Amino acid sequence: MADGGGAGGPVTDSGYLEPDAWLASLPELVIAAGAVITDPAGRVLLVKPNYRDRWSLPGGICEFGEPPHLGCRREVAEEVGIDRAAGRLLVIDWFQPYGEQARPMMHLLFDGGQVEHGHGIVLQESELDDYRFTAIDELADYLPPRGQTRLECALRALKSGVPVYVPYEIQ
């Protein structure tokens, strides 16, 4: 293999970037995963992060190289003490929360199943102030607009059995 180098990094004898250099040149994407957990009345479990004004679903940022379904399980277990495999994929939401010059995010929501109201929930006090089961018609009072759209699509996917892609158009 040729040492090559140059602006693109080391290249092979065939003129292609070495695999490590090629991977390092790819765009970065932040992946987050969360769960839609309901109680028997159909209310959705929301959590109140202590570092944000609005509420959200349990979940968070996946670690580097962590598959989203495993990241979902880890984050939900850390945040609310519910340790179970992530169910089926409900939503793929691609967006750039801080403008087109920022790193994009892909947020995946999985079916988190049903739990009795408050049964087994243990809050991660270092990040969360509270939790609540919220009626569908009250979601707008708690979630930011993007979070509400994502959750509404997830609820639609729960009923239809078909995952929903929620694209974000850069303005």
Side-chain angles (χ1 to χ4, degrees):
M1 284 192 216
D3 195 339
V11 294
T12 64
D13 289 334
S14 60
Y16 294 103
L17 284 176
E18 291 281 354
D20 289 342
W22 176 76
L23 285 171
S25 73
L26 294 176
E28 293 183 39
L29 173 72
V30 176
I31 298 176
V36 178
I37 299 171
T38 59
D39 69 4
R43 296 176 298 181
V44 178
L45 176 63
L46 299 181
V47 294
K48 175 58 182 78
N50 57 24
Y51 52 88
R52 266 191 228 147
D53 292 336
R54 305 299 299 264
W55 294 64
S56 65
L57 292 171
I61 304 296
C62 293
E63 302 292 335
F64 179 78
E66 182 178 42
H69 69 288
L70 297 180
C72 177
R73 180 178 189 161
R74 178 185 53 76
E75 282 286 339
V76 170
E78 287 174 5
E79 289 190 349
V80 295
I82 299 171
D83 187 10
R84 61 172 70 153
R88 65 189 168 93
L89 177 64
L90 302 174
V91 167
I92 301 170
D93 181 12
W94 183 96
F95 64 112
Q96 287 187 283
Y98 305 108
E100 67 181 271
Q101 299 304 314
R103 288 189 293 173
M105 291 187 74
M106 188 170 294
H107 200 122
L108 291 88
L109 291 181
F110 295 90
D111 184 350
Q114 192 177 93
V115 297
E116 290 294 323
H117 181 79
H119 180 72
I121 294 178
V122 179
L123 280 184
Q124 179 184 29
E125 293 180 5
S126 63
E127 290 187 19
L128 301 175
D129 289 335
D130 203 358
Y131 75 92
R132 63 173 283 125
F133 284 89
T134 308
I136 305 305
D137 61 352
E138 297 176 336
L139 293 173
D141 296 336
Y142 294 91
L143 296 173
R146 187 74 190 178
Q148 183 178 353
T149 298
R150 185 182 306 128
L151 180 53
E152 287 170 354
C153 289
L155 294 171
R156 191 168 71 229
L158 270 173
K159 287 181 182 176
S160 72
V162 178
V164 177
Y165 174 57
V166 186
Y168 173 76
E169 301 299 326
I170 298 174
Q171 302 299 324

